[in-house]
Amino acid sequence: MRRALVAAAALAVSLVIVPASAADPPTITYTIDGIAGANGWYRGSAHGNNVVVNWHVTNYTTLGQDCLDVLIPGPTTGTTRSCTASNADGSVTRVTNPPIKVDADPPTGVEPHIARSADHNGWYNHPVAVTWTGSDATSGIASCSSTNYAGPEGAAVFFSGECTDNAGNSTPAGVTINYDATPPALSGVSIASTPDANVVRWTSSDPTAKVVVRRAARASTRRVVLFHDTASSFVDKKIDPGIEYVYTLRAVDQAGNESATATIAGLPKVLTLRKMRYVPRAAPRPILRWEQVGGARYYNVQLFRGTKRVLAVWPVTHQFGVPNAWKWNGHSRRLSPGHYRWYVWAGFGARSFARYRTVGSAQFIVPARPPR
């Protein structure tokens, strides 16, 4: 019994000596139920264009009514809320959150702008600038796309850009253009000369491209358009005997791209005695032709290479086709590259009479290789 009383007395003494500590003040924190955007904005929440402020309070005896969970409707450029709490000894804590900005609406009126109209026939054939514009009523536009479009190529090519507001909401917008910056190419350009026509042939990398064929007589600056269409050959029947022609070809595709110009010479198959400003180059196996002479029963044609006679014939018509090879004076001859002169005499009566009249002479060149 005595021991119990001693212990009780000691406990009473300790309660008096150690005073009770003061209560801690209220603590207030908060969280925001929302979708974080950019630049301190919220892009609404899972519930729509709004956020919810959730207050968390401890160590309080009295809680203000404004400490309930609060719905912040959007859009808004900045809204604050406060929470106040106190405890039994009169300590008061008040917390006000920074302005809450809410914008869940994406930019409106977003559209592309092409810097210029199409280059040719509704097609663009070199890079074109495309920019996008739009508006945003709450957070404002932060940026819009821009590009210098240079491919891929094709008809009705679709690509898109966008505008983004300061809250991070984006709105895309597409655009469609026809784009082709690759010019066609011509290859295999060749020409074959006949007595009545020059036949020009080619291959185009783009079968739909139109090929323009122009022609000018040698020593003339006047060029005429003979052909403008999609094909791989053209027959020029409007040629004069003995005239060299220069043909230029260029392919133009539907986008207006032009190929490099191809040039080729059309050498005359038929050579005449007409006076010319140049010595014509002859096509392979040329035909020598002259005007008929009344009363002539035959003609004498002599061919010289340089100063050396290499052929003499007596055709009965007013033309002679020079072969590629022949025999003359017991020697084999060829129409090899070089400079030639030919003479024509009209013969009357029997050849034994040797009655001749000069018809004329002219020159021609056999080129070493087909000229371009």
Side-chain angles (χ1 to χ4, degrees), residues 40-247:
W41 287 80
Y42 287 91
R43 296 189 297 112
S45 65
H47 316 293
N49 194 358
N50 55 65
V51 299
V52 176
V53 180
N54 299 308
W55 296 102
H56 309 284
V57 186
T58 59
N59 298 332
Y60 68 92
T61 56
T62 303
L63 187 64
Q65 188 174 3
D66 53 0
C67 291
L68 301 176
D69 291 345
V70 180
L71 177 70
I72 307 295
T76 175
T77 57
T79 298
T80 60
R81 292 293 187 271
S82 299
C83 173
T84 303
S86 59
N87 59 14
D89 68 354
S91 297
V92 178
T93 301
R94 180 179 177 85
V95 173
T96 300
N97 58 259
I100 299 172
K101 302 180 292 182
V102 182
D103 181 8
D105 297 324
T108 59
V110 177
E111 59 183 8
H113 302 274
I114 304 177
R116 66 176 190 276
S117 57
D119 299 313
H120 181 84
N121 193 33
W123 286 76
Y124 292 89
N125 57 30
H126 60 283
V128 58
V130 184
T131 57
W132 280 258
T133 60
S135 60
D136 189 85
T138 305
S139 61
I141 293 294
S143 64
C144 288
S145 300
S146 65
T147 184
N148 197 34
Y149 188 84
E153 298 182 347
V157 178
F158 176 84
F159 59 99
S160 64
E162 63 182 14
C163 285
T164 303
D165 64 20
N166 283 295
N169 302 296
S170 297
T171 300
V175 62
T176 299
I177 68 171
N178 301 319
Y179 189 81
D180 181 1
T182 303
L186 292 175
S187 61
V189 179
S190 65
I191 192 166
S193 299
T194 71
D196 303 313
N198 288 329
V199 182
V200 187
R201 295 183 175 87
W202 62 86
T203 298
S204 175
S205 62
D206 181 357
T208 66
K210 291 188 175 182
V211 178
V212 181
V213 179
R214 293 179 172 87
R215 185 195 71 191
R218 182 179 170 184
S220 172
T221 58
R222 181 175 177 268
R223 293 197 306 166
V224 294
V225 176
L226 303 177
F227 179 82
H228 184 195
D229 209 339
T230 56
S232 58
S233 65
F234 171 72
V235 180
D236 182 13
K237 296 182 179 180
K238 297 181 179 180
I239 62 173
D240 291 329
I243 301 296
E244 279 192 44
Y245 293 98
V246 177
Y247 295 86

Side-chain angles (χ1 to χ4, degrees), residues 41 117 139 174 181 197 218 265 272 276 304 308 320 351 354 359 371-372:
W41 287 80
S117 57
S139 61
R218 182 179 170 184
T272 67
M276 303 180 65
F304 287 75
K308 185 177 183 179
F320 170 71
R351 282 180 56 182
V359 178
R372 302 303 294 177

